[in-house]
Amino acid sequence: MAPVQPQNADAHPPWYTPQRLLALFCWVTFLVYLDQGVISSNGVNRQIQVVSYAALTLAFPPAQAQFNVGNVGDGTLPSAFLAGLLIASIVYSELTTRFNAFRMIGFGFGVWAIASVGCGLAPNFWVLLICRVVMGAGEASIITLTGPFIDDVAPPAQKTLWFGVLNLFPTLGIAAGYIFGGLIGPLLGWRYAFFIQALIGLPVVIWALLASPINLQTMHDDEDVPSNTLAGVYGTAPLAKTGWLTSLGRDLLILGRHPVFVLNMLAYCPVQGAFGSYIFWGPKAGYELFDLPQETIDLTFGVVTIATSIVAVLLGGLFIDMVGSSIRNAMIFCSAGALVGLIVIEAGFMFAPSFPVLIGMFALGELALFAGQAPCSAVQIWTVPVRLRPLASGMGTVTQHLFGDVPTPPFVGWMQGVFNDWRLTMGLLTLLLSVAVVLYAIGACLPGKDYRPVGQQRALRADKVVPDLDPEGASLLRGGSGNRVSHVRYVMFASMGDRARS
């Protein structure tokens, strides 16, 4: 990988357009999450119990059956990527200051593809587990760097919508992975699912490593300070040359001093935990509550989750762009969505008299929850210094998994074992969303600097995409290395009223 070189911001390779870059990142994100669906699918990873393709499955037993692994050990495979993701996300974010970020995406995706082949060749469970960890290290480059790239290239008035488009593909990838693994496993054997997905990803790896790269912005003209100082956080003293670990610790400390970023990151953890538990336990709860065919319940929950995610993520991003893509608007929108989701889903699980009523209320609640994904992703990028965006993206993803969908499903299983009442268990799970409601609301009340370029914010105000509440905002936002940035305090309802009147 070549070191980062100074560049003209307007100089781009011939292949580049913002739309092509978005399409490329959407495809890469789809493939990464396709793998997560594959490793969880019945065709690739389960014990042989009830089988549709009996003869073929006996010839090609799934991984869990072939390696004779129990449910506890097998349950580590879908989440093993987190170990690699946790470490590599931090590494990639620091390397963006030394190497071209686009090349790093190609390198990371290449690691992912090689580890996918390793999964297919694994002679035993432990090798398979190690390859899963390495795949997480590879996909960390995509999860860490695609968000900052999208914020760089998206049209200013459509940034939240572009985040919404990118956020569609994790759900679509996982859903496609269930289908892909379920078909390939019985027909060719579970190993071929990993070989095929690596082969599909190979052209992207070659392209990202050999094509003329684009550069990720490492500093905007409205940054508090140059990249070698900490003015605005600790004063104006330049940073001395330090080791990698010292630099990382300093950067993490800077992120921690941005309260809106921290609140936004923590607020999404209960939402992520609820999503993970609904996906895992929702069909089982519906089956035991209403005694309908398991296939009907599984299919219905799956279709509802995919459909609501597509509609809500796009509408949420579009709505924030229309009413004003300010940080405060985004945080209040996320808080309101979590509140609506909490009320509707709680009522559905506690009181729905039939499965159609439950699934209808569940769909409405998921629409409200999914609508906050794009604004949440945007706030994660906009509320930190630009050079720290990759680290912020990586830390956000790791935190959402570590405190969200990894611990919550086992905890829900424990609660059901204690209460033996699915309505009470799912009702208590849904109450977790109240934490998100409160944290988002607190974040909306705090003054937080918007690190988007001053020129971009001026353009948004001029187009009335964001309410022009501070006519002197441009000069205040620029702030010199010795000046503190003044934060504009306002109430969201007033800002939306100004927007409506305009």
Side-chain angles (χ1 to χ4, degrees):
M1 292 179 293
V4 175
Q5 298 294 335
Q7 66 159 354
N8 182 343
D10 297 325
H12 295 296
W15 66 266
Y16 165 83
T17 67
Q19 293 78 12
R20 289 174 183 169
L21 191 66
L22 175 62
L24 176 65
F25 287 162
C26 287
W27 176 240
V28 170
T29 302
F30 176 83
L31 290 178
V32 164
Y33 283 90
L34 175 83
D35 167 75
Q36 295 186 27
V38 165
I39 194 62
S40 301
S41 66
N42 284 328
V44 168
N45 188 31
R46 64 176 167 81
Q47 293 283 11
I48 300 177
Q49 294 177 353
V50 179
V51 181
S52 298
Y53 303 92
L56 289 173
T57 305
L58 290 175
F60 304 111
Q64 184 182 4
Q66 181 175 341
F67 296 142
N68 193 26
V69 180
N71 288 333
V72 174
D74 188 65
T76 62
L77 289 177
S79 57
F81 78 99
L82 277 176
L85 180 67
L86 173 61
I87 299 172
S89 293
I90 299 172
V91 172
Y92 282 121
S93 64
E94 286 298 307
L95 289 179
T96 54
T97 61
R98 298 172 173 85
F99 300 99
N100 180 273
F102 190 76
R103 289 279 191 257
M104 289 172 56
I105 289 178
F107 174 80
F109 199 51
V111 171
W112 176 90
I114 293 171
S116 181
V117 173
C119 287
L121 296 175
N124 55 54
F125 171 78
W126 295 108
V127 173
L128 178 60
L129 183 65
I130 292 172
C131 288
R132 299 301 302 169
V133 174
V134 176
M135 289 189 77
E139 72 179 68
S141 67
I142 293 113
I143 293 174
T144 301
L145 299 175
T146 51
F149 264 117
I150 291 301
D151 191 72
D152 274 358
V153 305
Q158 297 177 353
K159 284 185 181 291
T160 319
L161 178 60
W162 279 46
F163 278 115
V165 172
L166 185 66
N167 282 337
L168 286 178
F169 287 85
T171 302
L172 295 177
I174 291 174
Y178 283 125
I179 299 171
F180 177 70
L183 292 175
I184 296 298
L187 293 175
L188 299 176
W190 65 270
R191 297 177 184 276
Y192 277 87
F194 294 107
F195 294 151
I196 293 172
Q197 71 179 18
L199 184 62
I200 295 174
L202 183 60
V204 177
V205 174
I206 296 173
W207 173 261
L209 291 177
L210 298 182
S212 299
I214 62 172
N215 289 316
L216 178 65
Q217 285 181 259
T218 55
M219 190 61 59
H220 284 320
D221 61 359
D222 67 332
E223 188 74 73
D224 272 344
V225 290
S227 60
N228 66 336
T229 70
L230 282 177
V233 180
Y234 298 112
T236 60
L239 296 177
K241 295 291 184 181
T242 58
W244 180 80
L245 288 177
T246 302
S247 175
L248 172 61
R250 182 184 63 226
D251 289 344
L252 290 173
L253 183 60
I254 295 173
L255 288 182
R257 293 174 66 92
H258 289 74
V260 177
F261 163 76
V262 173
L263 287 168
N264 179 70
M265 179 176 64
L266 295 178
Y268 198 73
C269 292
V271 178
Q272 186 79 1
F275 279 143
S277 297
Y278 291 148
I279 291 171
F280 192 84
W281 293 112
K284 184 173 179 61
Y287 173 74
E288 296 193 12
L289 286 173
F290 301 108
D291 195 25
L292 293 175
Q294 183 71 57
E295 295 79 7
T296 301
I297 300 232
D298 287 345
L299 179 62
T300 304
F301 267 95
V303 169
V304 165
T305 299
I306 294 173
T308 54
S309 68
I310 292 174
V311 173
V313 169
L314 292 178
L315 289 182
L318 184 62
F319 178 80
I320 290 298
D321 285 334
M322 290 177 59
V323 303
S325 56
S326 68
I327 293 171
R328 181 163 295 182
N329 283 1
M331 294 291 279
I332 290 185
F333 182 76
C334 290
S335 181
L339 179 61
V340 172
L342 165 64
I343 294 172
V344 176
I345 296 178
E346 182 79 16
F349 278 116
M350 295 300 294
F351 306 114
S354 64
F355 182 68
V357 174
L358 170 63
I359 204 66
M361 299 182 74
F362 182 72
L364 290 176
E366 283 213 317
L367 279 171
L369 293 175
F370 276 124
Q373 279 196 346
C376 177
S377 297
V379 170
Q380 186 169 266
I381 295 294
W382 296 340
T383 53
V384 298
V386 177
R387 72 178 183 87
L388 297 182
R389 285 179 174 181
L391 180 61
S393 297
M395 292 305 300
T397 299
V398 169
T399 301
Q400 291 159 17
H401 287 301
L402 284 180
F403 301 106
D405 56 1
V406 169
T408 306
F411 180 70
V412 172
W414 174 83
M415 284 197 300
Q416 176 59 16
V418 172
F419 300 121
N420 195 29
D421 183 341
W422 277 114
R423 289 192 184 274
L424 178 59
T425 297
M426 299 305 284
L428 291 174
L429 163 67
T430 304
L431 288 178
L432 280 177
L433 296 174
S434 61
V435 177
V437 174
V438 173
L439 292 180
Y440 279 129
I442 294 174
C445 296
L446 295 179
K449 180 180 176 181
D450 190 335
Y451 282 90
R452 285 175 288 181
V454 168
Q456 208 174 91
Q457 296 185 51
R458 285 173 177 167
L460 291 173
R461 288 190 178 91
D463 293 339
K464 289 299 180 182
V465 177
V466 191
D468 188 9
L469 299 172
D470 179 23
E472 297 181 330
S475 60
L476 291 174
L477 278 170
R478 180 167 299 275
S481 60
N483 297 328
R484 293 288 181 179
V485 177
S486 298
H487 297 288
V488 181
R489 302 171 182 264
Y490 63 92
V491 179
M492 189 258 192
F493 297 106
S495 71
M496 293 183 67
D498 290 344
R499 174 68 185 157
R501 286 191 293 273
S502 67

